[in-house]
Amino acid sequence: MNKTVSIVVPCYNESEVIDYTVEELLNLANSIDGYDLELLFVNDGSADDTEAKLLKHSKQHSNVHLISFSRNFGHQPAVSAGIQAASGDAVVLIDADLQDPPHLIKDMIDLWQKGYDVVYGTRESREGESPFKLASAKWFYRILNYLSEVPIPLDTGDFRLMDRQVVDQLNAMPEKNRFIRGMVSWIGFNQTSIRYQRNPRFAGETKYPLRKMLKFGLDGILSFSVKPLKLSIFMGFTSSAIAILMLFYTVYVRLATDHWQSGWASMLVAMLFIGGVQLISIGILGEYIARIYNESKNRPLYIVKKNVGKERDDETSQSS
Ligand code: UDP
Ligand code: MG
């Protein structure tokens, strides 16, 4: 019997590109011998006709499945839903906009058959992105890697193949602020990379505005590191040390010189500095507490409105 590979595609307002993506992936399915490909599209509450288009494809092709959310829950929940529903011996994650070339999936499958459990795509270059996106992504991955307790590969997105045993581990992780590329690094097993050139979007606009990018970046850093908390302790000690030095200086000025009435500027600077350090520290603390709060509410990660082509009974929701 053939092995099955599931391909998970999160889609949010991808009407302009979705037909091409389905076509490309169906072509790939036909050109790969010895494997059955299951295509799982997760419609993340699109406001355009992405859902209608996907519905049509899922009726035409028995290997096209559609999971539709009740609203926009975000990229990582969409990917998580696809991974949950996937039944393959391996699962591939790929964006809907064809920025990651689908033909690389063949190479990923080859490496998987050689014994690797995770094959991830590392971007050698990225075409058609704004200078801001390039610079912020570059620094984000480097800072994240420096802070994280597990090494997270640089310049690597979610485009990857994962063996069933990794997928099962991922599904068993209940956390709500999901940063999948980091979670997969944390899981371990035998991982390797393929280097590739990332294309510009085939059509449409990016669905990651600055606001979503910031949330995603914070999730990555705060879920994989407590170093920011240590940083606030460090800042606290530094500002205390500076305060003590200033104290000595003040006493010296008062006793040994005759111009001691001056010093308003230095007092103001010290006050502002300490106030700033305190606010930053409280902010960092707040971010962790907000995440604990989110986890403790224990709401489902997403709500499924429609499930087409997959014989699943949970029409309402599922979380872990
Ligand atoms: N996406 C999603 N939900 C969102 C935002 C994005 O499912 O809230 C999907 C989107 O349709 C695409 C993938 O996530 O398939 C990556 O988004 P995009 O290409 O816009 O990000 P970029 O490549 O610009 O970082
Ligand atoms: Mg994209």
Side-chain angles (χ1 to χ4, degrees):
M1 209 177 85
N2 281 350
K3 283 189 173 172
T4 306
V5 176
S6 307
I7 300 189
V8 169
V9 193
C11 315
Y12 177 53
N13 293 344
E14 298 288 7
S15 175
E16 283 173 67
V17 62
I18 200 68
D19 288 337
Y20 298 99
T21 310
V22 174
E23 191 185 313
E24 283 268 323
L25 291 174
L26 284 170
N27 286 341
L28 181 82
N30 291 333
S31 70
I32 290 187
D33 294 325
Y35 297 93
D36 294 330
L37 256 59
E38 163 189 78
L39 307 182
L40 271 162
F41 291 88
V42 184
N43 169 39
D44 183 13
S46 299
D48 59 10
D49 59 351
T50 303
E51 182 183 274
K53 288 188 173 173
L54 284 171
L55 204 57
K56 194 184 80 204
H57 291 296
S58 68
K59 293 206 169 116
Q60 277 168 3
H61 307 277
S62 61
N63 56 346
V64 174
H65 308 291
L66 167 66
I67 297 170
S68 212
F69 283 179
S70 61
R71 64 170 175 86
N72 179 235
F73 279 88
H75 175 222
Q76 300 288 300
V79 172
S80 305
I83 299 174
Q84 276 283 347
S87 56
D89 301 292
V91 177
V92 175
L93 312 180
I94 189 168
D95 285 353
D97 56 6
L98 297 176
Q99 278 192 292
D100 307 311
H103 67 83
L104 278 181
I105 294 175
K106 281 187 189 162
D107 303 340
M108 290 182 167
I109 292 178
D110 287 344
L111 283 165
W112 171 49
Q113 285 311 294
K114 287 196 181 122
Y116 289 102
D117 301 298
V118 177
V119 186
Y120 53 81
T122 295
R123 300 149 182 176
E124 216 152 51
S125 66
R126 301 175 75 159
E127 309 285 327
E129 304 274 19
S130 69
F132 174 73
K133 177 114 180 180
L134 289 179
S136 58
K138 177 167 181 232
W139 283 103
F140 168 66
Y141 286 114
R142 275 147 190 87
I143 292 171
L144 176 68
N145 203 275
Y146 168 72
L147 291 174
S148 164
E149 277 115 53
V150 284
I152 296 176
L154 298 175
D155 306 320
T156 299
D158 284 334
F159 182 41
R160 57 186 59 219
L161 177 146
M162 299 175 289
D163 183 75
R164 172 50 53 188
Q165 57 180 342
V166 175
V167 171
D168 286 343
Q169 295 299 332
L170 201 56
N171 286 338
M173 290 163 85
E175 59 203 81
K176 310 287 179 210
N177 290 301
R178 293 178 92 76
F179 186 71
I180 290 167
R181 55 200 76 166
M183 292 160 78
V184 173
S185 295
W186 185 90
I187 289 172
F189 291 103
N190 219 349
Q191 310 209 358
T192 188
S193 72
I194 294 188
R195 303 186 71 80
Y196 72 105
Q197 328 277 333
R198 195 165 207 234
N199 300 322
R201 240 178 189 278
F202 188 75
E205 303 263 288
T206 175
K207 306 300 175 310
Y208 258 99
L210 185 62
R211 177 178 50 81
K212 280 190 182 171
M213 254 161 67
L214 282 176
K215 173 174 186 313
F216 181 65
L218 268 179
D219 274 346
I221 289 173
L222 300 185
S223 310
F224 282 88
S225 172
V226 291
K227 282 189 189 145
L229 287 172
K230 294 185 182 145
L231 179 73
S232 56
I233 297 174
F234 173 77
M235 289 191 303
F237 275 121
T238 312
S239 72
S240 309
I242 293 172
I244 289 170
L245 289 179
M246 300 243 332
L247 186 81
F248 283 128
Y249 173 73
T250 317
V251 171
Y252 164 78
V253 169
R254 174 70 182 81
L255 296 180
T257 68
D258 54 2
H259 55 273
W260 51 270
Q261 68 276 39
S262 66
W264 285 104
S266 55
M267 214 169 88
L268 195 68
V269 167
M271 258 174 59
L272 289 177
F273 179 69
I274 293 170
V277 167
Q278 284 177 339
L279 286 179
I280 292 172
S281 306
I282 294 172
I284 293 175
L285 214 64
E287 283 292 336
Y288 282 97
I289 294 174
R291 279 167 174 74
I292 299 172
Y293 175 56
N294 261 342
E295 296 291 336
S296 68
K297 279 193 283 193
N298 209 17
R299 290 191 185 157
L301 202 57
Y302 48 81
I303 294 180
V304 175
K305 176 178 76 177
K306 205 179 273 163
N307 208 329
V308 184
K310 276 247 135 203
E311 294 72 33
R312 296 177 62 87
D313 45 17
D314 42 7
E315 284 285 330
T316 46
S317 78
Q318 44 148 315
S319 57
S320 53

